[in-house]
Amino acid sequence: MLSHIFFSPGDGPSEQGSNSVGPCTSSSSETDGKSGDVITVTIGATVPTGFEHTAAEEVKEKIGVAARISKDRGRIYFPITTDKLFQVHLLRSVDNLFVVVEEYDHYQFKQSKEETLLELQQLASKLPWTNALEVWKLNGTLKKKKGHRKGGNTTKVKPNRNTTEVAAADTEQQLHQVASAAEGQLEAESAADAEPCEQDSQEAAPEAKVIKFRVTCNRAGDKHSFSSNEAARDFGGAVQEFFQWKADMTKFDIEVLLNIHNEEMVIGIALTEESLHRRNISHFGPTTLRSTLCYGMLRLCKPQASDVILDPMCGTGAIPLEGAIEFSSSFYIAGDNNDMAVNRTVNNICHIQKRRADKDRISGLPIDTVQWDLCSLPIRTSSVDIIITDMPFGKRMGSKKKNWDLYPLCLREMARVCRPGSGKAVLLTQDKKCFAKAISRMGGLWRKLHTVWVNVGGLHAGVYLLKRTGAVFGQTPEDVHESRGMSNTQGDEKEDKELS
């Protein structure tokens, strides 16, 4: 356990940084952080809360390394070598990526706010920045240069957290400037002619633009004597003094992350300018799902080749679009009863197809879109393998009162089109009480296998994995009971439901 952040001479790598004047102190990687060398670093990733294990499985499957799930929900960490850095941007389950500068599992913050903030200030000059800055530089060459959005870089690590931003940078010229500065420090510590090199860098400095940065503090826990604002302000001020960078809240290149969860503290540098969950959707609706959450739901049902997958309340088409791109050996049918939702889905599909065509890739997607009545689907009985959808929460869309009628009718019609014995459904809803009641009424048709609790826009929701029983539709007591009231509720449901 670390009781303080000051390092004695016997503390190893950080001792080196206590006497240095450059922008970094030491390397926590396996090799030096000099340009051109392959180094191993730790990558942090934010993921949809509840799908941490799903993200860890994807990392193991696609990169071949084991991921560690953080105590703070919604984050995973895994090692990677810089020659494979491009692979982290291909992950479908992660929202934001950052390279870890240093992490403390059991950091003991001082009782006094003043003492804690002073330690954070002094910590900035003792951190092993070298390899993290090398990775940041390399990362800049892996992605297309994007213009700064109005409002700046908005890397959100956690919803509903008190976040404060204090700084970060600007152009490719600055990328090389930071990396050169980091390399210059290591050379200064190992070579006798470090002073001339330092003079050269000082002569070249006026020609380069001033580097801009910000610090974003994401803090969780009620036992801290300081606020996120104060931590970001004081730590950011120390970073500014150490690197001689300029603080800028919006137009920046480097975003330093200070993630604090109770006694766990991780310092990192952001590798994504905006969340990767925005990758598919160009036409948003009032309740559009994040693509990363859609991917987690799809992995739950494990699509197989030639499966017919149905989203009867598709909204903007986020789920079937993610499936058609990542699990393209299945066929997807996206439908909604609202014409605006169907139009958004069509536009999003066209957007993806155009983007693929511009890259000289096959533009066609295994997906079709239909406008229909949810409670009377124009689909043959027992012809669908998987049903996956975001059901109305009864908040932005519909109402909790009408959900009591809608949910049983939905489950009944889904049971009709789903294959008995082998069919599955993955359903997302925040109206847990209503859903539990509906499932109990449909016990002869559906069996609940698993529930994943997730955070959707600050709402505690459940992703339910259901298995279609082997019962033949139309021959269970549930069928007879639900059929009696079906005609009375269809009209109301059709009027006010729009999922998007």
Side-chain angles (χ1 to χ4, degrees):
M1 175 178 291
L2 296 175
S3 59
H4 49 73
I5 63 172
F6 301 102
F7 298 91
S8 64
D11 283 331
S14 295
E15 174 200 357
Q16 181 182 8
S18 61
N19 298 321
S20 65
V21 295
C24 60
T25 60
S26 65
S27 171
S28 58
S29 307
E30 293 180 1
T31 61
D32 289 339
K34 295 183 180 180
S35 180
D37 290 344
V38 174
I39 58 178
T40 301
V41 294
T42 299
I43 297 293
T46 63
V47 303
T49 303
F51 281 104
E52 295 89 352
H53 289 282
T54 299
E57 289 173 3
E58 186 192 15
V59 169
K60 182 66 175 178
E61 175 185 304
K62 295 183 177 179
I63 301 181
V65 297
R68 170 173 55 86
I69 297 174
S70 172
K71 300 174 186 176
D72 187 10
R73 295 190 70 196
R75 290 194 186 99
I76 63 171
Y77 298 94
F78 56 92
I80 196 167
T81 52
T82 49
D83 59 329
K84 297 181 178 179
L85 182 64
F86 71 95
Q87 294 180 344
V88 303
H89 289 279
L90 303 179
L91 297 173
R92 309 293 293 188
S93 58
V94 303
D95 288 319
N96 293 289
L97 295 162
F98 58 94
V99 56
V100 173
V101 176
E102 189 65 278
E103 55 183 321
Y104 304 89
D105 291 332
H106 301 285
Y107 190 95
Q108 288 191 339
F109 294 98
K110 298 293 186 181
Q111 294 294 324
S112 166
K113 177 171 69 175
E114 290 73 18
E115 289 180 321
T116 300
L117 294 177
L118 178 61
E119 284 191 338
L120 288 177
Q121 293 176 32
Q122 296 178 332
L123 180 63
S125 62
K126 301 178 184 296
L127 292 172
W129 295 98
T130 307
N131 285 347
L133 289 172
E134 275 295 318
V135 170
W136 172 77
K137 173 190 171 184
L138 175 60
N139 186 70
T141 66
L142 296 178
K143 58 185 180 180
K144 291 183 178 179
K145 193 69 180 173
K146 296 181 180 179
H148 293 290
R149 300 183 308 281
K150 185 177 181 180
N153 188 328
T154 54
T155 304
K156 294 183 179 180
V157 180
K158 280 283 190 178
N160 296 332
R161 290 284 174 83
N162 180 17
T163 62
T164 302
E165 301 154 350
V166 178
D170 200 22
T171 63
E172 284 189 14
Q173 183 180 16
Q174 294 166 349
L175 295 176
H176 294 290
Q177 179 185 349
V178 173
S180 298
E183 293 167 17
Q185 179 194 351
L186 292 180
E187 292 169 359
E189 293 169 346
S190 59
D193 58 346
E195 187 173 349
C197 294
E198 185 177 343
Q199 293 175 353
D200 292 341
S201 64
Q202 290 176 349
E203 292 175 0
E207 300 177 3
K209 292 183 180 180
V210 176
I211 294 174
K212 300 175 183 178
F213 82 109
R214 78 175 181 187
V215 171
T216 300
C217 178
N218 304 279
R219 184 181 61 86
D222 55 4
K223 296 183 179 180
H224 301 133
S225 60
F226 56 91
S227 67
S228 297
N229 286 0
E230 292 166 335
R233 179 197 65 202
D234 287 35
F235 183 73
V239 170
Q240 181 180 26
E241 182 178 352
F242 182 58
F243 285 99
Q244 294 300 301
W245 292 340
K246 180 181 178 180
D248 194 309
M249 294 284 287
T250 56
K251 296 181 179 181
F252 55 86
D253 237 359
I254 298 179
E255 181 174 28
V256 179
L257 302 175
L258 183 60
N259 298 329
I260 301 172
H261 178 74
N262 294 326
E263 292 184 342
E264 183 182 64
M265 182 168 71
V266 179
I267 298 95
I269 295 177
L271 300 180
T272 46
E273 292 182 2
E274 65 176 5
S275 176
L276 301 178
H277 82 268
R278 305 172 66 90
R279 55 182 173 257
N280 296 335
I281 306 301
S282 58
H283 294 73
F284 289 84
T287 59
T288 302
L289 275 188
R290 302 162 74 95
S291 295
T292 46
L293 180 56
C294 297
Y295 177 81
M297 294 173 65
L298 284 158
R299 278 190 73 107
L300 268 184
C301 58
K302 300 178 181 178
Q304 303 297 315
S306 75
D307 276 352
V308 175
I309 301 178
L310 171 69
D311 184 349
M313 296 175 276
C314 66
T316 57
I319 296 174
L321 258 176
E322 181 67 22
I325 294 171
E326 184 65 14
F327 304 95
S328 57
S329 59
S330 301
F331 183 75
Y332 300 83
I333 305 175
D336 204 290
N337 72 332
N338 185 274
D339 56 349
M340 292 179 62
V342 174
N343 288 337
R344 291 189 190 107
T345 300
V346 171
N347 288 332
N348 284 324
I349 293 172
C350 292
H351 168 73
I352 295 296
Q353 289 177 327
K354 183 179 184 303
R355 190 171 70 186
R356 291 160 69 100
D358 291 343
K359 295 180 180 180
D360 295 326
R361 297 169 57 188
I362 298 175
S363 61
L365 292 171
I367 186 173
D368 205 352
T369 310
V370 188
Q371 183 174 359
W372 54 31
D373 178 359
L374 169 64
C375 298
S376 183
L377 299 173
I379 295 179
R380 185 182 302 163
T381 299
S382 304
S383 60
V384 174
D385 298 287
I386 295 171
I387 298 172
I388 178 168
T389 196
D390 173 17
M391 302 182 75
F393 287 12
K395 291 185 177 290
R396 295 182 187 174
M397 290 297 152
S399 67
K400 285 185 176 293
K401 181 179 178 181
K402 292 189 176 182
N403 281 352
W404 287 97
D405 292 322
L406 176 63
Y407 278 22
L409 295 176
C410 289
L411 290 171
R412 183 181 184 278
E413 185 66 359
M414 291 176 188
R416 181 185 70 80
V417 302
C418 199
R419 298 188 192 278
S422 62
K424 290 175 284 189
V426 175
L427 309 176
L428 168 66
T429 180
Q430 189 263 344
D431 198 346
K432 299 179 282 292
K433 184 176 180 181
C434 182
F435 186 82
K437 182 66 175 178
I439 283 292
S440 67
R441 293 167 64 179
M442 293 284 110
L445 298 171
W446 292 108
R447 181 165 57 91
K448 187 169 67 174
L449 298 181
H450 183 56
T451 304
V452 177
W453 301 111
V454 297
N455 185 307
V456 182
L459 299 175
H460 186 252
V463 176
Y464 299 88
L465 174 60
L466 309 179
K467 178 73 176 293
R468 177 67 166 87
T469 67
V472 177
F473 183 82
Q475 298 182 10
T476 65
E478 290 80 5
D479 296 335
V480 178
H481 174 74
E482 296 300 332
S483 296
R484 293 174 183 170
M486 189 170 180
S487 59
N488 295 331
T489 55
Q490 276 187 359
D492 291 339
E493 181 274 327
K494 187 174 182 179
E495 284 178 8
D496 92 326
K497 172 155 182 323
E498 177 192 1
L499 284 181
S500 215

